[in-house]
């Protein structure tokens, strides 16, 4: 990949990230005003976030690894969603756009955006040389990924149920949502991450982002933090501020650990020397 | 000293466990055991702080906690956000036991953050440290305040979107803790270094917090508050994962903070 192409790709990636902020501002404004979110807005943000994720994943992991990661995510996410929909556990609304077999087509893409963010956040926080070879370590990293991802979902589920993206067949103890969905999210994310990290061992790491500025290199982490902050505001906007308390204290340690790591890169290198 | 601290910690945790678990089988414990646990944790934290931070820093932190938390509680009482029905001795309307309870809560949160992140004195690191510690302490309160309110001891007035408590109380606690810890960091004596190097003793604050979260989780389950129990486990999980990482992968390599 030429230097110029790489530079343009990085610019597009960062541009997509910042353009996606518009959707968050508009959506929160609409929620505060009591107006429902239009479908095109959801499609707009999904396209932008997915675009930046594709570019980052290709530059960071390589094309082959990216496609494998995407394939694993789509297959597992689709299979689990199919089980949930066919068992009548969840009903998707119109807000998520067109669907196939009752599953919104945007959903596997969102799952990839989120799991890739979680994967990158874990790698940033724990800073373990990749790809890790030990299966026990891979299992630990995958658990970490799945908890990072699900921590965001503790807020986002309530927002989506209130906005009408989906509804649960039976309400539960967690602000109206069944608690069992969270272990299901953890399990789904764990499976995707675990399979990918197992396969990743065969590849030589070759990130093309190492010389780029921190925002570009760790964009998925910033995206994860931004999505969390946006979700916190979102919970207040849809009058589900109880979930904000859980979301804040669940996601905060990950966001702070990531920031700490970014702030101390030089310091850590000095210690290692 | 080491043996005394460990003894106090273990006796307090055992009594704490008994108090929390026995109501689940229909046996209610006497109130004095609550006070015994409180005193145990308070003395454990003070002694631990004295050997790892020095007498000056311990005194400074305790004074800051007492002053700022008392002011906050006066405001809470004035705006009817908290009630204190049978919370023991009070001075100027502020319950003494509850204010002192924040010494173990905040000290151990600071220690957890120092164990995980190490001690670094730049302003950015201090800010991250204080946010982490405050998040831990306020997160614990988010696990226990909805339950305490139901026990007619003290708690938030029964309204709000977070298990009948106001979510904003936790944000206020979070901000107050950041204020306390940042002030403490600015004024602390930085040159103090502890002569104690015991791994287990140093890391007791982590066990303290994991134990507190576990007990809050058990209490929520015993009271059939499953939504709250899930929330507590969600808040507790990041701490457990970071600690597992600490204990398993880096402990032999680097004792000056792991992340």
């Amino acid at each position: 990949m030429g230097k110029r192409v790489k530079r343009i790709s990085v610019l597009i990636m960062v541009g997509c990230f910042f353009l996606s902020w518009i959707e968050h501002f508009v959506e929160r404004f609409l929620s505060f005003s009591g107006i429902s979110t239009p479908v095109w807005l959801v499609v707009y943000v999904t396209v932008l976030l997915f675009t930046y994720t594709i570019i980052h994943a290709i530059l960071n992991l390589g094309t082959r690894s990216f496609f494998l990661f995407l394939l694993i995510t789509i297959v597992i996410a689709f299979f689990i969603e199919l089980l949930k929909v066919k068992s009548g556990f969840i009903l998707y609304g119109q807000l998520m756009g067109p669907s196939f077999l009752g599953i919104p087509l945007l959903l596997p893409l969102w799952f990839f955006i989120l799991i890739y963010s979680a994967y990158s956040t874990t790698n940033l926080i724990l800073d373990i040389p990749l790809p890790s070879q030990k299966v026990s370590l891979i299992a630990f990293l995958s658990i970490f990924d799945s908890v990072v991802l699900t921590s965001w979902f503790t807020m986002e589920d309530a927002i989506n149920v209130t906005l009408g993206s989906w509804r649960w067949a039976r309400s539960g103890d967690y602000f109206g949502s069944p608690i069992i969905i969270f272990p299901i999210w953890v399990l789904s994310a764990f499976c995707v991450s675990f399979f990918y990290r197992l396969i990743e061992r065969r590849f030589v790491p070759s990130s093309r982002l190492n010389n780029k500025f921190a925002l570009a290199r760790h964009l998925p982490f910033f995206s994860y933090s931004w999505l969390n902050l946006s979700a916190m505001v979102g919970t207040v906007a849809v009058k589900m501020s109880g979930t904000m308390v859980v979301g804040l204290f669940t996601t905060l340690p990950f966001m702070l650990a990531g920031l700490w790591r970014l702030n101390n890169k030089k310091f850590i290198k000095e210690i290692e020397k | 000293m080491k043996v005394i601290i460990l003894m106090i910690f273990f006796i307090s945790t055992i009594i704490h466990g008994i108090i929390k678990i026995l109501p689940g089988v229909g046996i209610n414990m006497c109130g004095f055991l609550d006070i015994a646990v409180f005193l145990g944790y308070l003395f454990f934290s003070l002694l631990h702080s004295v050997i790892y931070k020095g007498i000056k820093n311990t005194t400074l932190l305790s004074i800051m906690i007492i002053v700022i938390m008392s002011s906050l509680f006066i405001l809470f009482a004035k705006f009817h956000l908290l009630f204190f029905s049978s919370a023991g001795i009070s001075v100027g309307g502020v319950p003494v036991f509850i204010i002192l309870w924040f010494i173990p809560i905040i000290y151990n949160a600071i220690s957890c953050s120092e164990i995980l992140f190490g001690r670094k004195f730049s302003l950015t690191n201090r800010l991250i440290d204080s946010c982490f510690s405050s998040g831990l302490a306020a997160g614990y309160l988010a696990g226990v305040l909805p339950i305490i309110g139901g026990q007619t001891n003290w708690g938030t007035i029964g309204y709000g979107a977070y298990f009948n408590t106001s979510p904003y109380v936790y944000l206020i606690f979070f901000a107050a803790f950041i204020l306390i810890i940042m002030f403490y960091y600015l004024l602390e004596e930085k040159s103090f270094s502890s002569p104690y190097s015991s791994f287990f003793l140093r890391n007791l604050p982590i066990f303290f917090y994991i134990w507190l979260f576990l007990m809050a989780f058990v209490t929520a389950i015993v009271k059939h508050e499953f939504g709250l129990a899930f929330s507590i486990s969600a808040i507790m999980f990041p701490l457990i994962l970071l600690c597992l990482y600490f204990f398993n992968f880096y402990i032999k390599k680097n004792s000056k903070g792991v992340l």
Side-chain angles (χ1 to χ4, degrees):
Chain A
M1 191 181 279
K3 263 188 179 178
R4 198 173 165 191
V5 176
K6 203 165 88 176
R7 197 179 301 157
I8 292 169
S9 308
V10 170
L11 278 175
I12 293 173
M13 184 174 84
V14 177
C16 284
F17 173 64
F18 283 113
L19 281 174
S20 74
W21 287 28
I22 297 171
E23 189 271 349
H24 291 275
F25 288 122
V26 173
E27 190 183 326
R28 299 313 168 216
F29 176 75
L30 292 177
S31 299
F32 273 117
S33 316
I35 303 165
S36 57
T37 313
V39 177
W40 64 263
L41 206 59
V42 180
V43 176
Y44 164 83
V45 74
T46 311
V47 169
L48 285 175
L49 288 179
F50 192 62
T51 307
Y52 105 73
T53 308
I54 290 174
I55 298 172
H56 194 279
I58 289 175
L59 291 174
N60 191 35
L61 307 173
T63 315
R64 192 170 44 168
S65 299
F66 154 69
F67 276 114
L68 266 170
F69 203 163
L70 183 65
L71 187 72
I72 292 170
T73 309
I74 288 175
V75 169
I76 292 178
F78 196 82
F79 177 70
I80 288 171
E81 287 306 321
L82 196 66
L83 281 178
K84 276 156 67 177
V85 169
K86 293 297 167 196
S87 62
F89 187 61
I90 190 172
L91 292 161
Y92 285 102
Q94 298 300 313
L95 189 62
M96 297 290 283
S99 60
F100 173 67
L101 295 173
I103 301 159
L105 295 172
L106 295 180
L107 212 68
L109 305 186
W110 263 104
F111 202 91
F112 181 70
I113 295 164
L114 296 173
I115 190 73
Y116 183 71
S117 290
Y119 165 86
S120 304
T121 303
T122 303
N123 291 346
L124 168 69
I125 295 173
L126 303 186
D127 202 26
I128 289 168
L130 289 173
S132 36
Q133 298 297 326
K134 275 187 181 174
V135 177
S136 59
L137 182 55
I138 289 174
F140 177 75
L141 293 172
S142 307
I143 293 171
F144 209 100
D145 290 342
S146 54
V147 175
V148 169
L149 186 148
T150 311
S151 63
W152 172 78
F153 199 61
T154 54
M155 294 176 278
E156 201 59 30
D157 177 66
I159 296 174
N160 279 289
V161 170
T162 313
L163 292 178
S165 301
W166 61 73
R167 65 188 168 88
W168 303 105
R170 261 190 263 171
S171 64
D173 291 317
Y174 182 73
F175 302 98
S177 299
I179 293 171
I180 188 76
I181 56 158
F182 296 99
I184 291 174
W185 266 83
V186 169
L187 188 70
S188 321
F190 175 81
C191 290
V192 172
S193 171
F194 187 71
F195 283 126
Y196 174 70
R197 284 183 186 275
L198 273 183
I199 295 168
E200 189 188 41
R201 289 189 299 176
R202 296 166 186 269
F203 304 129
V204 181
S206 58
S207 176
R208 297 188 187 105
L209 288 167
N210 283 343
N211 300 324
K212 295 290 166 192
F213 52 104
L215 177 67
R217 214 165 54 241
H218 301 293
L219 198 60
F221 165 70
F222 289 108
S223 171
Y224 169 74
S225 305
W226 169 251
L227 287 174
N228 286 331
L229 295 174
S230 170
M232 281 172 210
V233 178
T235 55
V236 179
V238 298
K239 297 184 176 60
M240 291 293 285
S241 50
T243 56
M244 177 196 63
V245 177
V246 184
L248 169 67
F249 296 126
T250 311
T251 57
L252 192 73
F254 298 127
M255 292 193 283
L256 289 173
L259 281 178
W260 190 92
R261 177 69 77 185
L262 285 174
N263 193 42
N264 291 281
K265 280 271 177 196
K266 280 181 192 166
F267 175 80
I268 292 161
K269 276 177 189 164
E270 277 167 22
I271 287 182
E272 282 168 359
K273 275 178 190 172
Chain B
M1 186 70 123
K2 183 181 164 182
V3 178
I4 294 171
I5 293 174
L6 287 172
M7 286 270 287
I8 294 175
F9 180 75
F10 282 113
I11 292 170
S12 306
T13 50
I14 289 166
I15 301 173
H16 193 193
I18 292 169
I19 292 172
K20 296 296 175 189
I21 291 165
L22 282 186
V25 290
I27 303 167
N28 282 317
M29 304 304 294
C30 306
F32 79 89
L33 284 180
D34 281 325
I35 297 170
V37 171
F38 155 71
L39 289 175
Y41 283 147
L42 179 67
F43 283 118
F44 146 71
S45 304
L46 287 173
L47 291 175
H48 196 273
S49 178
V50 165
I51 64 170
Y52 283 105
K53 289 193 176 297
I55 292 175
K56 264 189 188 174
N57 287 340
T58 306
T59 315
L60 175 71
L61 181 63
S62 305
I63 291 171
M64 303 217 72
I65 292 170
I66 291 167
V67 170
I68 295 179
M69 291 313 294
S70 303
S71 319
L72 186 70
F73 271 57
I74 289 169
L75 285 176
F76 273 152
K78 195 177 176 186
F79 292 103
H80 306 290
L81 280 166
L82 288 179
F83 72 86
F84 323 103
S85 59
S86 57
I89 312 156
S90 66
V91 176
V94 179
V96 175
F97 284 163
I98 296 169
I99 299 297
L100 293 179
W101 174 234
F102 283 96
I103 293 176
I105 296 288
I106 295 175
Y107 166 71
N108 287 294
I110 293 174
S111 291
C112 284
S113 145
E114 282 183 359
I115 292 164
L116 289 169
F117 295 121
R119 285 188 86 205
K120 286 157 208 81
F121 301 114
S122 77
L123 187 66
T124 326
N125 278 326
R126 286 303 203 184
L127 196 61
I128 293 172
D129 273 3
S130 58
C131 286
F132 186 89
S133 319
S134 306
L136 194 57
Y140 168 66
L141 288 183
V144 291
L145 269 186
I147 304 171
I148 292 174
Q151 289 174 336
T152 66
N153 190 352
W154 69 286
T156 57
I157 309 287
Y159 61 85
Y162 181 75
F163 302 104
N164 294 325
T165 61
S166 167
Y168 303 106
V169 167
Y170 305 101
L171 296 185
I172 297 169
F173 271 123
F174 179 53
F177 294 158
I178 291 178
L179 193 71
I180 292 170
I181 297 167
M182 278 309 283
F183 268 130
Y184 166 72
Y185 280 151
L186 287 174
L187 300 172
E188 74 168 337
E189 184 193 18
K190 293 179 180 65
S191 57
F192 182 83
S193 69
S194 172
Y196 289 80
S197 58
S198 160
F199 166 76
F200 192 66
L201 188 66
R202 179 73 191 101
N203 295 306
L204 274 182
I206 287 183
F207 294 110
F208 171 83
Y209 256 101
I210 289 177
W211 181 253
L212 283 194
F213 273 115
L214 272 177
M215 287 302 103
F217 178 77
V218 168
T219 313
I221 293 284
V222 166
K223 291 184 176 295
H224 300 280
E225 291 276 359
F226 298 115
L228 181 63
F230 168 74
S231 305
I232 295 167
S233 61
I235 295 169
M236 177 174 63
F237 245 97
L239 176 70
I240 291 183
L241 281 177
L242 290 172
C243 294
L244 276 176
Y245 169 70
F246 169 59
F247 291 133
N248 281 310
F249 301 113
Y250 267 71
I251 189 62
K252 284 174 190 165
K253 274 189 179 176
N254 180 7
S255 59
K256 291 178 180 173
V258 286
L259 281 172

